[in-house]
Amino acid sequence: MAAADSDPAITSSTCAHCQREIPSSNIALHSVHCARNLQKCEHCGDMVPRKLMDEHYDENHAPMNCSLCKCAIERELWDLHTSIQCPQRMLACQYCEFELPAVDLLEHQDVCGNRTEYCQSCRKYIRLREWIGHELQFHTSSNTATELSSDGAPAAAEQPVPNPTRPAAHGSQRKHLLLTIAIAGFAVLIGSMLYQRKGQ
């Protein structure tokens, strides 16, 4: 067995074109055929038949056109683009679950999160952006405490739920909202003045 392994008749050589290990007895014939018929893809390094190189490129490497944002995206980045990067991908608002393009989501949620809903326990209106924190801070622990009394039996009477103090709105978001309202009001004012002048 060792003698067979050392037999030069079954040794292999590396093809200079495709870098594959070829039996030494076939290397000359292979090298001619390989150089004539195969081409190394500059994108992935695979050896591809020359006549199929265009098809290989189109199927594996050609940029893809995004139907939402109309941009040409490299195929390797397609999944990243469609899931995270495309500004026109549809996302649901965390407050109202309405779907809209990602590029418009932040502005929508700035406004939507400032809407209020009535908290039955506190008898106060709470901003949607503060609702989860409000529930965790004022109702989760008190609900657990009132379910069981100290001896493990159900509590005879509900404990009064403390009234939450509404947290201050995020400064930058509030300024952004006020700026948007001011600009819109200014635009309406200028528009009405121009309309009146045109009428005169």
Side-chain angles (χ1 to χ4, degrees):
M1 192 72 170
D5 289 342
S6 61
D7 188 347
I10 59 171
T11 58
S12 62
S13 301
T14 303
C15 173
H17 189 63
C18 68
Q19 305 301 314
R20 288 171 55 198
E21 292 294 318
I22 306 298
S24 296
S25 58
N26 298 335
I27 190 67
L29 183 62
H30 168 85
S31 296
V32 172
H33 177 271
C34 184
R36 182 182 300 162
N37 296 296
L38 298 180
Q39 183 177 346
K40 187 174 185 177
C41 174
E42 61 184 21
H43 298 280
C44 64
D46 289 350
M47 298 303 295
V48 180
R50 289 183 184 276
K51 62 182 180 181
L52 299 178
M53 182 54 75
D54 289 342
E55 182 180 333
H56 169 80
Y57 175 78
D58 290 342
E59 290 181 358
N60 298 281
H61 307 298
M64 301 174 69
N65 291 320
C66 178
S67 60
L68 297 177
C69 68
K70 311 304 180 191
C71 291
I73 309 299
E74 291 182 31
R75 194 171 292 260
E76 292 81 5
L77 302 176
W78 179 252
D79 290 341
L80 181 65
H81 175 78
T82 54
S83 61
I84 297 175
Q85 294 179 337
C86 180
Q88 296 298 325
R89 71 191 187 281
M90 299 302 287
L91 295 175
C93 170
Q94 62 177 310
Y95 304 114
C96 67
E97 298 184 3
F98 180 75
E99 289 196 352
L100 66 166
V103 70
D104 301 324
L105 184 64
L106 185 61
E107 184 177 353
H108 168 84
Q109 287 189 157
D110 264 353
V111 176
C112 194
N114 277 323
R115 293 187 301 114
T116 60
E117 282 193 7
Y118 188 70
C119 176
Q120 296 290 340
S121 301
C122 301
R123 296 187 178 92
K124 286 192 173 186
Y125 284 93
I126 308 298
R127 284 186 182 142
L128 294 181
R129 72 172 67 257
E130 299 163 359
W131 190 268
I132 293 176
H134 171 79
E135 287 284 319
L136 291 174
Q137 184 176 1
F138 295 102
H139 302 305
T140 304
S141 58
S142 61
N143 287 345
T144 304
T146 55
E147 282 176 5
L148 295 174
S149 63
S150 57
D151 60 356
E158 289 186 10
Q159 300 294 322
V161 178
N163 288 329
T165 56
R166 179 176 291 177
H170 300 293
S172 61
Q173 293 174 342
R174 189 172 188 178
K175 287 178 184 176
H176 179 71
L177 181 62
L178 291 175
L179 180 62
T180 303
I181 293 171
I183 290 173
F186 187 65
V188 170
L189 179 63
I190 290 177
S192 64
M193 290 171 60
L194 291 174
Y195 182 75
Q196 286 176 352
R197 285 185 184 178
K198 188 177 180 181
Q200 292 174 355

